Each structure stands twice: as C-alpha cells, then as structure tokens.
C-alpha cells in the first residue's frame, strides 16, 4: 500500500527576487501560518489583544491596497504612509511595492513635536497620494491643508474594496514586475545632525539587507520570531520587523512604541511568549527597562527563550549592557543575548553586529590616546579608562576606516571615518545630487574610478577596528575639538549624568558654542532635569559646580555652562535620539529661556 503523497511545496524565489516575490511565495507555500501579529493594549491592565494575519491574508490585503493605490499613482510616483503602527501599516508598505510606487514610510501628524519635520518631508518627496485609515484620514487632510501642502488623494487602507480583501482568487490588476534596481522606498534619515534627507532604497537593497540580518542572527522560519516596538517608519523597525520576516518566512510580532513607553514590561513579556525571539531597541530602552520594571514584574518573566536583543544605538554604553544584564539575569536572560550592532539609513540599516554566541566585548582604552585618534588598551579595571563596546563584524559588506580629511585607509586601532560598500548601500539621496556624490560616491586616494574602486559610502561616523571588530566612537559632526584634542559628546554627557542626580538620564546634549566677542569656543551642556523636580537657582549652581568638577577631572575640560531645562524640552529625532545640532541651534537662539541656567552668562 503506497503512502499518501505530501503536498507539493512552492518553489523558492529565484536570485534577484523582490520583497513581494517572497511574500507571494510564503502565501502559496504556507498560506494559513501566522505571519504578522499586532498586539494592542486598550487599557493599562490589558494583557494585550492579539490581531493576526497569515501569509495568504497579508498577501491578499497588500494586493488589495495596491489596487487602490494604482487609481491615484503610477510606477515611480510616491505614496506617503501616514498610518499608525499595526497590520495596516505592514500591508500598506507591501502594497506600495506591489503597485510599483515608491513608498515613503512616515507617521501621522498626531505624533507630538514632529509636525515641522513631517511637513518638510512631505514637501520634499511630493507624494501623489497619502495612505491613511478611517480613523486618521480627517486629521491627515486637515494637517496638509494647514501646512499649505498640495491637495492629494487620501487612500484608505482599511476600507474593503468589493471582496478583494478576502477573496484570494480575485486579484486587482497590477503593474508589470519591477526590476531589483528600481526604487522601493525613501527612508528619511532621523535628522540628528542635519535636516532629514530621503535615502533612496532599491528593491535589491532591502532584500540584501534583510538577508544579511537573517544570516547574522541565524534566523529561520522554524524557530525564530521577531518582536518589535520600534516604529515602522524607522529604518531598523522596517527591516527587522517587516523585510526580514517576509524574506525569511518567520513570524513578526508588533506593538506600538507608546505601549512600550507606558509599560516597558509589555515588551519583555512578548519576548518571553515566543520561541527564539529576536528584537532591537536603542540604548536608552535597555536603561529604561532596567529602571522602570520592578523586581516583582521581573520575577514573573522567563527570558531564557530570547535569542538576540540588538542594541543599535551607536555608541553603545557599557553601563547599559551591565545594568540590563543584572536586572534580568534571574529571569533567565543569557548574557550573550545582548548583541551590540551598528547601522544607518544610508546602508538600509544593518552594517555590523557582534556575535550572539558570547557576551558583548568591552574594551578599556586610554582616554588621552583616544582623544588623539588611537586605541591604546588599559586594564579592564582601570578607573580612568574609557570603555568601548564592540559592534562586531560587517554583515555581508565591506568596511574601511579612513582618515576623514584625506580618505586614506587607516590601520587597526586608528580612529577614522567609517566607509562602507555592499549590496545594501542605498542609491543616493532623493533630489540631492551634490550631496549624493559626496556621500555615496566616495573614491579613496589612488582609485582609478573603476567599479572596484568606486562607490564607498561615507557614513560620517567615527570608529576603529580592533581584532576585526568595529568600535564606534561617535559622529564626526558632533565631535568636540578643544586644544587640538577630540572629545566625544556622549562621554561628556555620561560624566555629567553620572555626577548630577538632577539630570534625566540620556536627555542631555554636550556641544561647543562661541564665546561672545572672542574667537574661543566653550563647552556647554543642556540637560533636562528629572520629572517632578523643580530646581531652584541654588540647585542649578550646585549642579554646575558638581558637573564642572567631574568634567574637569575626567576630561580635562572646563564646562562653561550647565543649562537645566524641563523634561521633554530637548529636541529629539523621530527615532528618539537627542538631536544635538538642533539643541545647539536652539541654545544659540535663546529658545530654552533663562530659567535654571547654571552660569557662563557670556557664552552666547
């Protein structure tokens, strides 16, 4: 008696497959398996309401949205996503790719503090339509009218069109298949050191970076699940929570960033609920969890199934790694699960990552040598050492450290600008030809212009290689130079927040400003004070004295002013990072006001 035949598996997508080819493959191969889940928390006590789409359901919804988009936009036009976090956002992004339009992942105008950035990006990308849902469409239309933006169709992604949202056999007519080098989407940078610029990401770029991430973290459909609260308009959120799962065929679980900020334990509970979980967060989120989740909540967690927790905020703070590990060690979190990484939008997102087979590597360096551009090792226990966390090795791409002035390659242990080359590096900046050539088309000295010598990406980030691992030291544009020596603002900020209890952790910015009437620059720190604190003039003066002594002892620098400002007053990017350049500009304009200033009246 013959055994029954197993069902025929759909063929894997060929080389050069697009993200939508992978989605179509999984829809045919495993139509009813869980693909994407959005967990909603309607009230503070809610354990979470799970909304789930299988692969076929996601594919059908994406195609239905694509059909609606094609009524307003054609191939090469832009479609801006002004949607809340959730399944509709995922389906809308994939629907844009099916429709052949260029997706522009953004956020709704209800996100506080970023209205100006949203208006600037919409003016820059000139969308032919915007995507919203029934609950946000009116607000989107009102916002665009108030900002004087051109009136364009608002496509509702949550309104069924006939029965196309449920019937897989009735598919809307879509454009012919695109090429891998065609533009998939514009990823606008967070604008931490300059105004936002749209990075042009091709279909080949996003698939390449998704594969690089899958390989780096050994993710597979049988044993991995991504869990993410990062916004889907953020490069890391989009690639790790959408692109990588679609390419790899493994489930993705989403939650809203606000739900995380309200109760960070929600994120860790979801991490514990699925096998082989992979997630990512910026440095501040790990500190936030360690400080906000109490012992009773931590005792209920079982984090032994967590595979990888990517820390992608460069540079990663060693103290954060230690605090998070200690806070959740008893919950079964493996020390090696904390995985420092480095990336940027211009490279789609992922560049390097440390191994998840061993705990993070921390290097003790001589601070004086570091200020002169050299990694000189000290004993790990040396209290005067500057500690750097390794961000690992390149993920399927080439990395070079070069002299920022000449572009000449530097050797191991020498600090310089990080240069990149690989299939994940974006094509250019949208509508910025000169800047694109400067950033994406760098040719090292002695290059001939041939393909093998051209196309290096200048990241604007500083770092050094040691034993093959990358150590990121800071941003070139943020560098503080005093008496010919380099000082990294995050090091000064760490010194101040460690010394002054009034300062809110990771909500401060260090920078130099010209001293009025002189050619001299002075060091200033603007810091938010802790919530609930109402610092008096005496408190501010005491904070200045403490910070001045700590900065002088640690860095050999004179702190001219410590300006204490209310919580939430320091500018931040849409991805949550402190925007030092914007903070400096506001300081020079006097926009922070005079309250709470600790001294240095002549610094402006």
């Amino acid at each position: 008696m013959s055994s029954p035949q197993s069902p025929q598996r759909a063929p894997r997508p060929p080389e050069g497959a697009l993200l939508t080819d992978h989605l179509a493959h999984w829809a045919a191969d495993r139509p009813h398996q869980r693909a994407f889940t959005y967990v909603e928390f309607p009230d503070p006590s809610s354990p979470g309401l799970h909304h789930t789409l299988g692969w076929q359901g996601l594919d059908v919804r994406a195609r239905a949205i694509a059909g609606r988009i094609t009524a307003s936009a054609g191939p090469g036009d832009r479609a801006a996503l002004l949607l809340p976090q959730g399944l509709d956002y995922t389906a809308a992004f994939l629907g844009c790719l099916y429709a052949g339009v260029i997706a522009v992942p953004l956020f709704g105008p209800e996100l506080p503090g970023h209205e100006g950035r949203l208006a600037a990006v919409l003016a820059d990308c000139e969308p032919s339509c915007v995507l919203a849902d029934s609950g946000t469409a009116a607000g989107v239309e009102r916002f665009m009218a108030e900002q004087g933006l051109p009136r364009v169709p608002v496509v509702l992604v949550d309104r069924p069109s006939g029965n196309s949202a449920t019937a897989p056999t009735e598919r809307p007519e879509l454009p012919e298949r695109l090429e891998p080098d065609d533009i998939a989407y514009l990823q606008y940078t967070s604008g931490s050191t300059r105004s936002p610029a749209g990075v042009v990401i091709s279909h080949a770029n996003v698939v390449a970076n998704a594969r690089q991430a899958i390989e780096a973290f050994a993710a597979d459909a049988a044993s991995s699940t991504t869990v993410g609260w990062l916004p889907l308009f953020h490069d890391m959120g989009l690639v790790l929570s959408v692109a990588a799962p679609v390419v790899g065929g493994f489930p993705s679980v989403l939650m809203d960033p606000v739900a995380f900020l309200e109760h960070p334990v929600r994120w860790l509970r979801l991490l514990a609920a699925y096998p082989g979980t992979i997630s990512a967060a910026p440095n501040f989120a790990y500190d936030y969890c360690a400080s906000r989740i109490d012992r009773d909540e931590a005792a209920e967690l079982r984090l032994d199934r967590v595979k990888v927790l990517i820390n992608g905020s460069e540079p990663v703070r060693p103290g954060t790694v230690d605090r998070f590990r200690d806070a959740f060690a008893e919950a079964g979190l493996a020390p090696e699960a904390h995985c420092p990484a480095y990336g940027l939008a211009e490279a789609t997102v992922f560049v390097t990552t440390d191994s998840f087979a061993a705990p993070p590597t921390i290097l003790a360096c001589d601070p004086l040598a570091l200020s002169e551009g050299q990694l000189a090792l000290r004993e790990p226990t040396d209290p005067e050492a500057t500690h750097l966390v390794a961000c690992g090795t390149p993920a399927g791409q080439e990395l070079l450290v070069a002299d920022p002035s000449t572009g000449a390659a530097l050797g191991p242990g020498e600090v310089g600008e990080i240069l990149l080359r690989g299939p994940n590096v974006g094509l250019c900046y949208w509508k910025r030809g000169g800047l694109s050539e400067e950033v994406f088309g760098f040719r090292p000295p002695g290059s001939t212009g041939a393909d093998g010598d051209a196309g290096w990406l200048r990241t604007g980030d500083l770092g050094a290689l040691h034993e093959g691992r990358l150590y990121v030291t800071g941003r070139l544009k943020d560098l503080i130079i005093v008496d010919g020596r380099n000082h990294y603002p995050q090091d000064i900020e760490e010194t101040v927040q460690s010394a002054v209890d009034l300062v809110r952790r990771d909500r401060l910015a260090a920078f130099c400003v010209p001293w009025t009437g002189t050619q001299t620059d002075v060091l200033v720190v603007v810091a938010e004070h802790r919530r609930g604190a109402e610092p008096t003039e005496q408190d501010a003066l005491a904070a200045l004295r403490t910070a001045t002594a700590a900065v002088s002892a640690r860095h050999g620098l004179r702190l001219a002013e410590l300006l204490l400002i209310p919580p939430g007053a320091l500018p931040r990017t849409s991805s949550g990072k402190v925007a030092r350049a914007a903070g400096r500009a506001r300081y020079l304009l006097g926009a922070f006001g005079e309250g709470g200033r600790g001294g240095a009246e002549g610094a402006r």
Side-chain angles (χ1 to χ4, degrees), residues 82 109 130 132 136-147 149 151-156:
L82 274 62
V130 297
T136 60
V140 166
E141 290 179 328
R142 184 168 55 251
F143 173 80
M144 296 188 72
E146 290 172 351
Q147 296 292 329
L149 296 165
R151 184 181 179 89
V152 297
V154 176
V155 178
L156 299 181

mmCIF file with all atom_site columns, all heavy atoms in Angstrom, residues 82 109 130 132 136-147 149 151-156:
data_model
loop_
_atom_site.group_PDB
_atom_site.id
_atom_site.type_symbol
_atom_site.label_atom_id
_atom_site.label_alt_id
_atom_site.label_comp_id
_atom_site.label_asym_id
_atom_site.label_entity_id
_atom_site.label_seq_id
_atom_site.pdbx_PDB_ins_code
_atom_site.Cartn_x
_atom_site.Cartn_y
_atom_site.Cartn_z
_atom_site.occupancy
_atom_site.B_iso_or_equiv
_atom_site.pdbx_formal_charge
_atom_site.auth_seq_id
_atom_site.auth_comp_id
_atom_site.auth_asym_id
_atom_site.auth_atom_id
_atom_site.pdbx_PDB_model_num
ATOM 1   N N   . LEU A 1 82  ? 1.061   57.604 6.197  1.00 0.00 ? 82  LEU A N   1
ATOM 2   C CA  . LEU A 1 82  ? 0.784   58.401 7.394  1.00 0.00 ? 82  LEU A CA  1
ATOM 3   C C   . LEU A 1 82  ? -0.174  57.611 8.276  1.00 0.00 ? 82  LEU A C   1
ATOM 4   O O   . LEU A 1 82  ? -1.311  58.013 8.519  1.00 0.00 ? 82  LEU A O   1
ATOM 5   C CB  . LEU A 1 82  ? 0.205   59.769 7.026  1.00 0.00 ? 82  LEU A CB  1
ATOM 6   C CG  . LEU A 1 82  ? 1.196   60.894 6.705  1.00 0.00 ? 82  LEU A CG  1
ATOM 7   C CD1 . LEU A 1 82  ? 2.056   60.548 5.493  1.00 0.00 ? 82  LEU A CD1 1
ATOM 8   C CD2 . LEU A 1 82  ? 0.470   62.205 6.453  1.00 0.00 ? 82  LEU A CD2 1
ATOM 9   N N   . PRO A 1 109 ? 0.262   62.983 11.689 1.00 0.00 ? 109 PRO A N   1
ATOM 10  C CA  . PRO A 1 109 ? 0.506   64.298 12.298 1.00 0.00 ? 109 PRO A CA  1
ATOM 11  C C   . PRO A 1 109 ? 0.214   64.328 13.786 1.00 0.00 ? 109 PRO A C   1
ATOM 12  O O   . PRO A 1 109 ? 0.548   65.310 14.455 1.00 0.00 ? 109 PRO A O   1
ATOM 13  C CB  . PRO A 1 109 ? -0.447  65.222 11.525 1.00 0.00 ? 109 PRO A CB  1
ATOM 14  C CG  . PRO A 1 109 ? -1.503  64.311 10.973 1.00 0.00 ? 109 PRO A CG  1
ATOM 15  C CD  . PRO A 1 109 ? -0.839  63.008 10.709 1.00 0.00 ? 109 PRO A CD  1
ATOM 16  N N   . VAL A 1 130 ? -1.455  59.969 -0.288 1.00 0.00 ? 130 VAL A N   1
ATOM 17  C CA  . VAL A 1 130 ? -1.052  59.591 1.061  1.00 0.00 ? 130 VAL A CA  1
ATOM 18  C C   . VAL A 1 130 ? -1.957  58.469 1.524  1.00 0.00 ? 130 VAL A C   1
ATOM 19  O O   . VAL A 1 130 ? -3.140  58.413 1.167  1.00 0.00 ? 130 VAL A O   1
ATOM 20  C CB  . VAL A 1 130 ? -1.095  60.781 2.050  1.00 0.00 ? 130 VAL A CB  1
ATOM 21  C CG1 . VAL A 1 130 ? -0.110  61.851 1.634  1.00 0.00 ? 130 VAL A CG1 1
ATOM 22  C CG2 . VAL A 1 130 ? -2.492  61.360 2.146  1.00 0.00 ? 130 VAL A CG2 1
ATOM 23  N N   . ALA A 1 132 ? -3.778  56.510 4.598  1.00 0.00 ? 132 ALA A N   1
ATOM 24  C CA  . ALA A 1 132 ? -4.275  56.702 5.956  1.00 0.00 ? 132 ALA A CA  1
ATOM 25  C C   . ALA A 1 132 ? -5.336  55.648 6.219  1.00 0.00 ? 132 ALA A C   1
ATOM 26  O O   . ALA A 1 132 ? -5.634  54.821 5.351  1.00 0.00 ? 132 ALA A O   1
ATOM 27  C CB  . ALA A 1 132 ? -4.823  58.119 6.128  1.00 0.00 ? 132 ALA A CB  1
ATOM 28  N N   . THR A 1 136 ? -7.814  58.188 10.899 1.00 0.00 ? 136 THR A N   1
ATOM 29  C CA  . THR A 1 136 ? -6.811  59.255 10.820 1.00 0.00 ? 136 THR A CA  1
ATOM 30  C C   . THR A 1 136 ? -6.940  60.134 9.580  1.00 0.00 ? 136 THR A C   1
ATOM 31  O O   . THR A 1 136 ? -6.280  61.160 9.484  1.00 0.00 ? 136 THR A O   1
ATOM 32  C CB  . THR A 1 136 ? -5.394  58.652 10.832 1.00 0.00 ? 136 THR A CB  1
ATOM 33  O OG1 . THR A 1 136 ? -5.234  57.773 9.709  1.00 0.00 ? 136 THR A OG1 1
ATOM 34  C CG2 . THR A 1 136 ? -5.143  57.865 12.115 1.00 0.00 ? 136 THR A CG2 1
ATOM 35  N N   . ALA A 1 137 ? -7.775  59.736 8.620  1.00 0.00 ? 137 ALA A N   1
ATOM 36  C CA  . ALA A 1 137 ? -7.833  60.441 7.335  1.00 0.00 ? 137 ALA A CA  1
ATOM 37  C C   . ALA A 1 137 ? -8.192  61.919 7.497  1.00 0.00 ? 137 ALA A C   1
ATOM 38  O O   . ALA A 1 137 ? -7.578  62.793 6.867  1.00 0.00 ? 137 ALA A O   1
ATOM 39  C CB  . ALA A 1 137 ? -8.823  59.746 6.404  1.00 0.00 ? 137 ALA A CB  1
ATOM 40  N N   . ALA A 1 138 ? -9.183  62.219 8.345  1.00 0.00 ? 138 ALA A N   1
ATOM 41  C CA  . ALA A 1 138 ? -9.600  63.612 8.512  1.00 0.00 ? 138 ALA A CA  1
ATOM 42  C C   . ALA A 1 138 ? -8.467  64.456 9.070  1.00 0.00 ? 138 ALA A C   1
ATOM 43  O O   . ALA A 1 138 ? -8.225  65.583 8.618  1.00 0.00 ? 138 ALA A O   1
ATOM 44  C CB  . ALA A 1 138 ? -10.822 63.688 9.420  1.00 0.00 ? 138 ALA A CB  1
ATOM 45  N N   . GLY A 1 139 ? -7.734  63.919 10.052 1.00 0.00 ? 139 GLY A N   1
ATOM 46  C CA  . GLY A 1 139 ? -6.614  64.646 10.618 1.00 0.00 ? 139 GLY A CA  1
ATOM 47  C C   . GLY A 1 139 ? -5.496  64.857 9.620  1.00 0.00 ? 139 GLY A C   1
ATOM 48  O O   . GLY A 1 139 ? -4.845  65.904 9.612  1.00 0.00 ? 139 GLY A O   1
ATOM 49  N N   . VAL A 1 140 ? -5.258  63.872 8.752  1.00 0.00 ? 140 VAL A N   1
ATOM 50  C CA  . VAL A 1 140 ? -4.232  63.992 7.712  1.00 0.00 ? 140 VAL A CA  1
ATOM 51  C C   . VAL A 1 140 ? -4.605  65.096 6.732  1.00 0.00 ? 140 VAL A C   1
ATOM 52  O O   . VAL A 1 140 ? -3.781  65.950 6.376  1.00 0.00 ? 140 VAL A O   1
ATOM 53  C CB  . VAL A 1 140 ? -4.043  62.649 6.994  1.00 0.00 ? 140 VAL A CB  1
ATOM 54  C CG1 . VAL A 1 140 ? -3.249  62.836 5.703  1.00 0.00 ? 140 VAL A CG1 1
ATOM 55  C CG2 . VAL A 1 140 ? -3.344  61.646 7.901  1.00 0.00 ? 140 VAL A CG2 1
ATOM 56  N N   . GLU A 1 141 ? -5.850  65.112 6.298  1.00 0.00 ? 141 GLU A N   1
ATOM 57  C CA  . GLU A 1 141 ? -6.288  66.139 5.345  1.00 0.00 ? 141 GLU A CA  1
ATOM 58  C C   . GLU A 1 141 ? -6.200  67.530 5.970  1.00 0.00 ? 141 GLU A C   1
ATOM 59  O O   . GLU A 1 141 ? -5.780  68.492 5.321  1.00 0.00 ? 141 GLU A O   1
ATOM 60  C CB  . GLU A 1 141 ? -7.707  65.836 4.886  1.00 0.00 ? 141 GLU A CB  1
ATOM 61  C CG  . GLU A 1 141 ? -7.818  64.606 3.995  1.00 0.00 ? 141 GLU A CG  1
ATOM 62  C CD  . GLU A 1 141 ? -9.240  64.315 3.579  1.00 0.00 ? 141 GLU A CD  1
ATOM 63  O OE1 . GLU A 1 141 ? -10.168 64.606 4.372  1.00 0.00 ? 141 GLU A OE1 1
ATOM 64  O OE2 . GLU A 1 141 ? -9.438  63.798 2.451  1.00 0.00 ? 141 GLU A OE2 1
ATOM 65  N N   . ARG A 1 142 ? -6.595  67.637 7.220  1.00 0.00 ? 142 ARG A N   1
ATOM 66  C CA  . ARG A 1 142 ? -6.536  68.925 7.909  1.00 0.00 ? 142 ARG A CA  1
ATOM 67  C C   . ARG A 1 142 ? -5.087  69.391 8.056  1.00 0.00 ? 142 ARG A C   1
ATOM 68  O O   . ARG A 1 142 ? -4.779  70.568 7.829  1.00 0.00 ? 142 ARG A O   1
ATOM 69  C CB  . ARG A 1 142 ? -7.211  68.795 9.276  1.00 0.00 ? 142 ARG A CB  1
ATOM 70  C CG  . ARG A 1 142 ? -7.303  70.096 10.058 1.00 0.00 ? 142 ARG A CG  1
ATOM 71  C CD  . ARG A 1 142 ? -8.234  69.964 11.257 1.00 0.00 ? 142 ARG A CD  1
ATOM 72  N NE  . ARG A 1 142 ? -7.869  68.859 12.132 1.00 0.00 ? 142 ARG A NE  1
ATOM 73  C CZ  . ARG A 1 142 ? -8.564  67.729 12.250 1.00 0.00 ? 142 ARG A CZ  1
ATOM 74  N NH1 . ARG A 1 142 ? -9.680  67.556 11.536 1.00 0.00 ? 142 ARG A NH1 1
ATOM 75  N NH2 . ARG A 1 142 ? -8.178  66.780 13.080 1.00 0.00 ? 142 ARG A NH2 1
ATOM 76  N N   . PHE A 1 143 ? -4.197  68.482 8.428  1.00 0.00 ? 143 PHE A N   1
ATOM 77  C CA  . PHE A 1 143 ? -2.782  68.822 8.588  1.00 0.00 ? 143 PHE A CA  1
ATOM 78  C C   . PHE A 1 143 ? -2.191  69.327 7.279  1.00 0.00 ? 143 PHE A C   1
ATOM 79  O O   . PHE A 1 143 ? -1.495  70.357 7.251  1.00 0.00 ? 143 PHE A O   1
ATOM 80  C CB  . PHE A 1 143 ? -2.007  67.594 9.070  1.00 0.00 ? 143 PHE A CB  1
ATOM 81  C CG  . PHE A 1 143 ? -0.514  67.784 9.107  1.00 0.00 ? 143 PHE A CG  1
ATOM 82  C CD1 . PHE A 1 143 ? 0.094   68.445 10.161 1.00 0.00 ? 143 PHE A CD1 1
ATOM 83  C CD2 . PHE A 1 143 ? 0.285   67.298 8.087  1.00 0.00 ? 143 PHE A CD2 1
ATOM 84  C CE1 . PHE A 1 143 ? 1.471   68.625 10.194 1.00 0.00 ? 143 PHE A CE1 1
ATOM 85  C CE2 . PHE A 1 143 ? 1.670   67.467 8.109  1.00 0.00 ? 143 PHE A CE2 1
ATOM 86  C CZ  . PHE A 1 143 ? 2.259   68.139 9.171  1.00 0.00 ? 143 PHE A CZ  1
ATOM 87  N N   . MET A 1 144 ? -2.459  68.644 6.183  1.00 0.00 ? 144 MET A N   1
ATOM 88  C CA  . MET A 1 144 ? -1.879  69.043 4.906  1.00 0.00 ? 144 MET A CA  1
ATOM 89  C C   . MET A 1 144 ? -2.400  70.408 4.465  1.00 0.00 ? 144 MET A C   1
ATOM 90  O O   . MET A 1 144 ? -1.660  71.214 3.902  1.00 0.00 ? 144 MET A O   1
ATOM 91  C CB  . MET A 1 144 ? -2.154  67.970 3.856  1.00 0.00 ? 144 MET A CB  1
ATOM 92  C CG  . MET A 1 144 ? -1.473  66.639 4.193  1.00 0.00 ? 144 MET A CG  1
ATOM 93  S SD  . MET A 1 144 ? -1.562  65.408 2.901  1.00 0.00 ? 144 MET A SD  1
ATOM 94  C CE  . MET A 1 144 ? -0.429  66.091 1.680  1.00 0.00 ? 144 MET A CE  1
ATOM 95  N N   . ALA A 1 145 ? -3.678  70.677 4.749  1.00 0.00 ? 145 ALA A N   1
ATOM 96  C CA  . ALA A 1 145 ? -4.234  71.987 4.402  1.00 0.00 ? 145 ALA A CA  1
ATOM 97  C C   . ALA A 1 145 ? -3.596  73.086 5.253  1.00 0.00 ? 145 ALA A C   1
ATOM 98  O O   . ALA A 1 145 ? -3.221  74.154 4.748  1.00 0.00 ? 145 ALA A O   1
ATOM 99  C CB  . ALA A 1 145 ? -5.748  71.968 4.592  1.00 0.00 ? 145 ALA A CB  1
ATOM 100 N N   . GLU A 1 146 ? -3.434  72.833 6.562  1.00 0.00 ? 146 GLU A N   1
ATOM 101 C CA  . GLU A 1 146 ? -2.853  73.833 7.459  1.00 0.00 ? 146 GLU A CA  1
ATOM 102 C C   . GLU A 1 146 ? -1.397  74.122 7.121  1.00 0.00 ? 146 GLU A C   1
ATOM 103 O O   . GLU A 1 146 ? -0.929  75.251 7.317  1.00 0.00 ? 146 GLU A O   1
ATOM 104 C CB  . GLU A 1 146 ? -2.956  73.337 8.904  1.00 0.00 ? 146 GLU A CB  1
ATOM 105 C CG  . GLU A 1 146 ? -4.381  73.310 9.444  1.00 0.00 ? 146 GLU A CG  1
ATOM 106 C CD  . GLU A 1 146 ? -4.476  72.631 10.807 1.00 0.00 ? 146 GLU A CD  1
ATOM 107 O OE1 . GLU A 1 146 ? -3.473  72.037 11.249 1.00 0.00 ? 146 GLU A OE1 1
ATOM 108 O OE2 . GLU A 1 146 ? -5.560  72.715 11.421 1.00 0.00 ? 146 GLU A OE2 1
ATOM 109 N N   . GLN A 1 147 ? -0.690  73.119 6.605  1.00 0.00 ? 147 GLN A N   1
ATOM 110 C CA  . GLN A 1 147 ? 0.720   73.297 6.262  1.00 0.00 ? 147 GLN A CA  1
ATOM 111 C C   . GLN A 1 147 ? 0.922   73.844 4.852  1.00 0.00 ? 147 GLN A C   1
ATOM 112 O O   . GLN A 1 147 ? 2.061   74.035 4.418  1.00 0.00 ? 147 GLN A O   1
ATOM 113 C CB  . GLN A 1 147 ? 1.459   71.957 6.397  1.00 0.00 ? 147 GLN A CB  1
ATOM 114 C CG  . GLN A 1 147 ? 1.492   71.408 7.810  1.00 0.00 ? 147 GLN A CG  1
ATOM 115 C CD  . GLN A 1 147 ? 2.354   72.244 8.748  1.00 0.00 ? 147 GLN A CD  1
ATOM 116 O OE1 . GLN A 1 147 ? 3.334   72.854 8.339  1.00 0.00 ? 147 GLN A OE1 1
ATOM 117 N NE2 . GLN A 1 147 ? 1.971   72.293 10.026 1.00 0.00 ? 147 GLN A NE2 1
ATOM 118 N N   . LEU A 1 149 ? 0.329   72.312 2.055  1.00 0.00 ? 149 LEU A N   1
ATOM 119 C CA  . LEU A 1 149 ? 0.817   71.274 1.146  1.00 0.00 ? 149 LEU A CA  1
ATOM 120 C C   . LEU A 1 149 ? -0.200  71.012 0.046  1.00 0.00 ? 149 LEU A C   1
ATOM 121 O O   . LEU A 1 149 ? -1.407  71.208 0.241  1.00 0.00 ? 149 LEU A O   1
ATOM 122 C CB  . LEU A 1 149 ? 1.084   69.984 1.926  1.00 0.00 ? 149 LEU A CB  1
ATOM 123 C CG  . LEU A 1 149 ? 2.192   70.068 2.975  1.00 0.00 ? 149 LEU A CG  1
ATOM 124 C CD1 . LEU A 1 149 ? 2.141   68.876 3.925  1.00 0.00 ? 149 LEU A CD1 1
ATOM 125 C CD2 . LEU A 1 149 ? 3.554   70.145 2.286  1.00 0.00 ? 149 LEU A CD2 1
ATOM 126 N N   . ARG A 1 151 ? -2.926  69.480 -2.300 1.00 0.00 ? 151 ARG A N   1
ATOM 127 C CA  . ARG A 1 151 ? -4.015  68.548 -2.013 1.00 0.00 ? 151 ARG A CA  1
ATOM 128 C C   . ARG A 1 151 ? -3.848  67.305 -2.897 1.00 0.00 ? 151 ARG A C   1
ATOM 129 O O   . ARG A 1 151 ? -3.805  67.405 -4.122 1.00 0.00 ? 151 ARG A O   1
ATOM 130 C CB  . ARG A 1 151 ? -5.356  69.219 -2.290 1.00 0.00 ? 151 ARG A CB  1
ATOM 131 C CG  . ARG A 1 151 ? -6.567  68.366 -1.925 1.00 0.00 ? 151 ARG A CG  1
ATOM 132 C CD  . ARG A 1 151 ? -7.857  69.117 -2.266 1.00 0.00 ? 151 ARG A CD  1
ATOM 133 N NE  . ARG A 1 151 ? -9.028  68.324 -1.960 1.00 0.00 ? 151 ARG A NE  1
ATOM 134 C CZ  . ARG A 1 151 ? -9.647  68.311 -0.788 1.00 0.00 ? 151 ARG A CZ  1
ATOM 135 N NH1 . ARG A 1 151 ? -9.179  69.084 0.179  1.00 0.00 ? 151 ARG A NH1 1
ATOM 136 N NH2 . ARG A 1 151 ? -10.709 67.562 -0.586 1.00 0.00 ? 151 ARG A NH2 1
ATOM 137 N N   . VAL A 1 152 ? -3.719  66.153 -2.274 1.00 0.00 ? 152 VAL A N   1
ATOM 138 C CA  . VAL A 1 152 ? -3.566  64.893 -2.997 1.00 0.00 ? 152 VAL A CA  1
ATOM 139 C C   . VAL A 1 152 ? -4.570  63.889 -2.445 1.00 0.00 ? 152 VAL A C   1
ATOM 140 O O   . VAL A 1 152 ? -5.075  64.043 -1.330 1.00 0.00 ? 152 VAL A O   1
ATOM 141 C CB  . VAL A 1 152 ? -2.128  64.327 -2.876 1.00 0.00 ? 152 VAL A CB  1
ATOM 142 C CG1 . VAL A 1 152 ? -1.124  65.266 -3.518 1.00 0.00 ? 152 VAL A CG1 1
ATOM 143 C CG2 . VAL A 1 152 ? -1.782  64.052 -1.427 1.00 0.00 ? 152 VAL A CG2 1
ATOM 144 N N   . PRO A 1 153 ? -4.885  62.843 -3.215 1.00 0.00 ? 153 PRO A N   1
ATOM 145 C CA  . PRO A 1 153 ? -5.847  61.850 -2.732 1.00 0.00 ? 153 PRO A CA  1
ATOM 146 C C   . PRO A 1 153 ? -5.353  61.170 -1.449 1.00 0.00 ? 153 PRO A C   1
ATOM 147 O O   . PRO A 1 153 ? -4.166  60.873 -1.297 1.00 0.00 ? 153 PRO A O   1
ATOM 148 C CB  . PRO A 1 153 ? -5.929  60.842 -3.888 1.00 0.00 ? 153 PRO A CB  1
ATOM 149 C CG  . PRO A 1 153 ? -5.476  61.592 -5.089 1.00 0.00 ? 153 PRO A CG  1
ATOM 150 C CD  . PRO A 1 153 ? -4.454  62.575 -4.608 1.00 0.00 ? 153 PRO A CD  1
ATOM 151 N N   . VAL A 1 154 ? -6.285  60.931 -0.539 1.00 0.00 ? 154 VAL A N   1
ATOM 152 C CA  . VAL A 1 154 ? -6.014  60.153 0.669  1.00 0.00 ? 154 VAL A CA  1
ATOM 153 C C   . VAL A 1 154 ? -6.619  58.768 0.462  1.00 0.00 ? 154 VAL A C   1
ATOM 154 O O   . VAL A 1 154 ? -7.833  58.620 0.362  1.00 0.00 ? 154 VAL A O   1
ATOM 155 C CB  . VAL A 1 154 ? -6.603  60.819 1.927  1.00 0.00 ? 154 VAL A CB  1
ATOM 156 C CG1 . VAL A 1 154 ? -6.376  59.941 3.152  1.00 0.00 ? 154 VAL A CG1 1
ATOM 157 C CG2 . VAL A 1 154 ? -5.992  62.202 2.138  1.00 0.00 ? 154 VAL A CG2 1
ATOM 158 N N   . VAL A 1 155 ? -5.765  57.769 0.359  1.00 0.00 ? 155 VAL A N   1
ATOM 159 C CA  . VAL A 1 155 ? -6.199  56.393 0.108  1.00 0.00 ? 155 VAL A CA  1
ATOM 160 C C   . VAL A 1 155 ? -6.404  55.694 1.445  1.00 0.00 ? 155 VAL A C   1
ATOM 161 O O   . VAL A 1 155 ? -5.476  55.618 2.258  1.00 0.00 ? 155 VAL A O   1
ATOM 162 C CB  . VAL A 1 155 ? -5.156  55.632 -0.741 1.00 0.00 ? 155 VAL A CB  1
ATOM 163 C CG1 . VAL A 1 155 ? -5.593  54.181 -0.946 1.00 0.00 ? 155 VAL A CG1 1
ATOM 164 C CG2 . VAL A 1 155 ? -4.950  56.330 -2.080 1.00 0.00 ? 155 VAL A CG2 1
ATOM 165 N N   . LEU A 1 156 ? -7.618  55.206 1.682  1.00 0.00 ? 156 LEU A N   1
ATOM 166 C CA  . LEU A 1 156 ? -7.908  54.493 2.922  1.00 0.00 ? 156 LEU A CA  1
ATOM 167 C C   . LEU A 1 156 ? -7.489  53.035 2.779  1.00 0.00 ? 156 LEU A C   1
ATOM 168 O O   . LEU A 1 156 ? -7.955  52.336 1.875  1.00 0.00 ? 156 LEU A O   1
ATOM 169 C CB  . LEU A 1 156 ? -9.400  54.580 3.250  1.00 0.00 ? 156 LEU A CB  1
ATOM 170 C CG  . LEU A 1 156 ? -9.962  55.989 3.477  1.00 0.00 ? 156 LEU A CG  1
ATOM 171 C CD1 . LEU A 1 156 ? -11.436 55.926 3.817  1.00 0.00 ? 156 LEU A CD1 1
ATOM 172 C CD2 . LEU A 1 156 ? -9.190  56.707 4.576  1.00 0.00 ? 156 LEU A CD2 1
#
